[in-house]
Amino acid sequence: MSSYKNKKVITIGIVSELTGLSERQIRYYEERKLIFPERSKGGTRKFSFSDVERLVDIANKMEDGMQTFEIRKAEQRQLRENELRDRMLRGQINAAFNIRK
Amino acid sequence: MSSYKNKKVITIGIVSELTGLSERQIRYYEERKLIFPERSKGGTRKFSFSDVERLVDIANKMEDGMQTFEIRKAEQRQLRENELRDRMLRGQINAAFNIRK
DNA sequence: CGTGTAAGGAATTCTGACACG
DNA sequence: CGTGTAAGGAATTCTGACACG
């Protein structure tokens, strides 16, 4: 869903304008595995609107004094929690369904 | 609405890949007033996803043998018709509303 | 750690023109 | 009319490094 939001089509200059971050900062956040732009054949980075949103979020966290590895850790933690929640939810649904039968 | 769809952020090379059109064709369709990309300070064209959609539509019409000025005319005609329809619709709504009072 | 910057090179884009038809 | 192409130049992006802290 939202096919446009996740299409990697924006070059770093535009992303810089959109986010207010310097190109240097954006490249550094990629180096720290916070964002994952694609590349053109020639090697030019291509970002999505999702990446732009994420960068704004990252910028806020950096302002709050968070370090890049903390941001990465926090996101991974969030991912695991979501997976756990989904698994438990599915389990409950299955249980409820079996009781009825 | 759909803020992403209308944001002019895509360079011509990407648009070319997305549409299958050559950069030459894209620039020519701009010259013929079928699309209206914005420009960066340096003069680089910036397109939106809407422009990409429109270009695909244009490409289809060109394949059908339509000429650029015909495509432009057809779109203007469509615009006028929509405006007329909207005006009439608003008139009917107002009329119905006044009858009730 | 996070970011600025100068450096040199490569990829990308731009315009105007010639060509074909 | 619509599109390809070679030409020359300008804007954009890339990497690796040095600097500061």
Side-chain angles (χ1 to χ4, degrees):
Chain A
M1 52 185 63
S2 72
S3 65
Y4 291 146
K5 190 168 174 180
N6 295 303
K7 276 236 163 197
K8 307 271 186 174
V9 297
I10 316 177
T11 51
I12 197 167
I14 310 275
V15 173
S16 175
E17 287 180 8
L18 257 36
T19 60
L21 296 169
S22 69
E23 300 186 5
R24 179 69 165 99
Q25 288 175 305
I26 296 168
R27 294 194 188 102
Y28 181 67
Y29 299 153
E30 178 191 18
E31 186 184 322
R32 300 312 305 270
K33 309 287 184 194
L34 293 179
I35 46 174
F36 305 92
E38 294 180 357
R39 298 282 182 140
S40 71
K41 306 90 210 169
T44 304
R45 268 167 271 251
K46 298 185 296 182
F47 302 80
S48 67
F49 280 113
S50 278
D51 292 328
V52 171
E53 285 185 6
R54 176 182 288 268
L55 280 167
V56 170
D57 187 53
I58 291 170
N60 287 332
K61 287 176 178 163
M62 292 296 289
E63 277 184 29
D64 295 345
M66 217 182 284
Q67 291 187 314
T68 56
F69 82 91
E70 294 177 302
I71 296 175
R72 191 170 57 253
K73 286 279 181 193
E75 283 177 359
Q76 291 172 349
R77 205 177 307 126
Q78 190 64 45
L79 261 183
R80 280 199 305 277
E81 281 174 16
N82 288 347
E83 280 171 17
L84 180 60
R85 174 176 50 67
D86 289 354
R87 228 178 304 126
M88 290 180 67
L89 198 57
R90 264 195 298 278
Q92 288 194 324
I93 288 172
N94 282 340
F97 184 74
N98 287 334
I99 286 170
R100 297 245 191 102
K101 284 202 294 193
Chain B
M1 53 185 63
S2 73
S3 66
Y4 290 146
K5 190 168 175 180
N6 295 304
K7 275 238 163 195
K8 307 270 187 177
V9 297
I10 318 178
T11 51
I12 197 166
I14 310 274
V15 173
S16 175
E17 287 180 9
L18 257 36
T19 60
L21 295 169
S22 69
E23 300 186 5
R24 179 67 165 99
Q25 289 175 304
I26 297 168
R27 294 195 188 102
Y28 181 66
Y29 298 153
E30 177 191 19
E31 186 184 321
R32 300 312 307 270
K33 309 288 184 192
L34 294 179
I35 47 173
F36 305 92
E38 293 180 358
R39 300 281 182 141
S40 72
K41 307 91 212 168
T44 305
R45 268 169 271 251
K46 298 185 293 181
F47 301 82
S48 66
F49 280 114
S50 278
D51 292 329
V52 172
E53 286 186 4
R54 176 181 289 266
L55 280 168
V56 171
D57 187 54
I58 291 170
N60 287 331
K61 288 176 178 163
M62 293 296 288
E63 275 184 29
D64 294 346
M66 217 182 284
Q67 291 188 312
T68 56
F69 83 91
E70 293 177 304
I71 296 174
R72 189 171 56 252
K73 285 280 180 193
E75 283 177 358
Q76 290 173 350
R77 205 178 307 126
Q78 189 64 45
L79 262 183
R80 279 198 305 277
E81 281 173 17
N82 288 346
E83 279 171 19
L84 180 61
R85 175 176 51 65
D86 289 355
R87 228 177 306 128
M88 290 179 68
L89 197 58
R90 262 196 298 277
Q92 288 195 325
I93 289 171
N94 282 341
F97 184 73
N98 288 333
I99 285 168
R100 296 241 193 104
K101 283 203 289 194

